[in-house]
Amino acid sequence: MKLSLHGVSVWYSNAVTQLRIAHETGFSGLEILPEHLYRYLDNGGSYAAYRDLMAKYSVDITCINALKRIGRHEPEARAELLREAEKICQAAVELRCPVVQIMALTELDHLSAAERDAILLENISAIADIGAPHGIKFQIEVVAFTAFNSLQHALDLIKQSGKDNLGVVVDFWHLHAGGGTTPDEVARMDKDLIYGVHFCDGRAAKPGEAWDEWVQRDYAPGQGDVDIAAWVAAVKATGYDGVWSPELLSPQNWEDDLWDISRHCYEDMNKYIY
């Protein structure tokens, strides 16, 4: 398996620093945020220079996270979505990155289930077709606070699409907080449909509480309500041996030294996984 630092965990940093910190704290991969990557490119950076840094630090880009709001369906909005897909796929090619994450947010929640599924199926199929000629795969993340929040729902759409470059990311917090998936379901999965794992903790929104990831996910591993050991065991039961990434979306922890954040992420993952 491969351990990959998640750009969210070191939110207040830049794309260059993330490579160095990942290397120095034990990671061999980086799951990079497009906003960090594009900011680097917009301010004088280049793909060639970044590839040189990747080689210097022996860190691979394992995933670009993420192409968001994949439920955009009005003609102009959908055209924009597909342009973004082209751009992020080109970035993946330049960085020799095999996987791009895709996710819907709340843009479809007002529609019926049948309407949502039709749009999602059409859009993920179109996105898959954009990446296929380049060998790019797409991991779907189901999001806890949306109507598209269960693992089985994502797997059903993947099957219906018939595309062989669509899979899922097993995100502990989203699956726990969404309430529609159990570790047992993950344990029964085909490991070839798992493209990544997000190792994280937190809690669901309380009754009457608004969903806010910066509140409900503001927990280091072991501090929240997620049964991390059960989710880890479930993933390992599938035989999956790919990329694991710690996603520490935690405003409290973001105020620590960036190097310390990364090292704690690495140590926490090792404690639970090995």
Side-chain angles (χ1 to χ4, degrees), residues 72 119-120 140 152 273:
R72 282 174 275 176
I119 292 166
L120 285 169
I140 298 171
Q152 189 58 54
I273 294 172

Side-chain angles (χ1 to χ4, degrees), residues 16-180:
V16 170
T17 304
Q18 289 167 23
L19 289 176
R20 177 182 62 80
I21 290 175
H23 169 74
E24 291 180 356
T25 56
F27 293 95
S28 60
L30 172 65
E31 182 162 336
I32 196 167
L33 277 58
E35 48 265 54
H36 288 156
L37 175 63
Y38 296 155
R39 190 179 69 201
Y40 166 79
L41 296 171
D42 289 343
N43 289 281
S46 70
Y47 285 119
Y50 202 72
R51 287 193 299 268
D52 287 344
L53 288 170
M54 290 165 57
K56 174 183 176 180
Y57 292 118
S58 300
V59 173
D60 301 319
I61 301 302
T62 58
C63 179
I64 301 179
N65 180 346
L67 177 62
K68 298 179 180 178
R69 298 181 62 245
I70 60 169
R72 282 174 275 176
H73 56 283
E74 297 295 340
E76 187 175 334
R78 187 173 190 273
E80 181 183 19
L81 169 66
L82 297 182
R83 287 193 296 270
E84 289 177 18
E86 294 274 6
K87 181 179 180 180
I88 206 167
C89 283
Q90 184 57 44
V93 170
E94 291 281 359
L95 298 181
R96 306 185 184 97
C97 171
V99 176
V100 169
Q101 180 165 304
I102 59 177
M103 56 200 293
L105 296 176
T106 58
E107 66 272 15
L108 295 173
D109 286 4
H110 63 290
L111 300 177
S112 70
E115 290 173 314
R116 285 197 302 268
D117 283 359
I119 292 166
L120 285 169
L121 182 58
E122 182 179 24
N123 285 3
I124 66 173
S125 297
I127 292 166
D129 286 343
I130 289 171
H134 307 292
I136 304 300
K137 296 182 177 182
F138 300 91
Q139 63 182 33
I140 298 171
E141 181 172 81
V142 294
V143 175
F145 50 86
T146 74
F148 184 42
N149 65 359
S150 79
L151 174 66
Q152 189 58 54
H153 196 171
L155 294 175
D156 288 344
L157 288 178
I158 291 169
K159 185 175 181 179
Q160 291 175 49
S161 76
K163 307 298 181 182
D164 62 3
N165 61 336
L166 290 173
V168 299
V169 57
V170 176
D171 182 293
F172 296 171
W173 179 80
H174 280 295
L175 296 181
H176 164 85

Side-chain angles (χ1 to χ4, degrees), residues 150-152 155 180-189 234 238:
S150 79
L151 174 66
Q152 189 58 54
L155 294 175
T181 305
T182 66
D184 286 344
E185 290 178 67
V186 171
R188 295 192 296 268
M189 279 188 66
T238 69

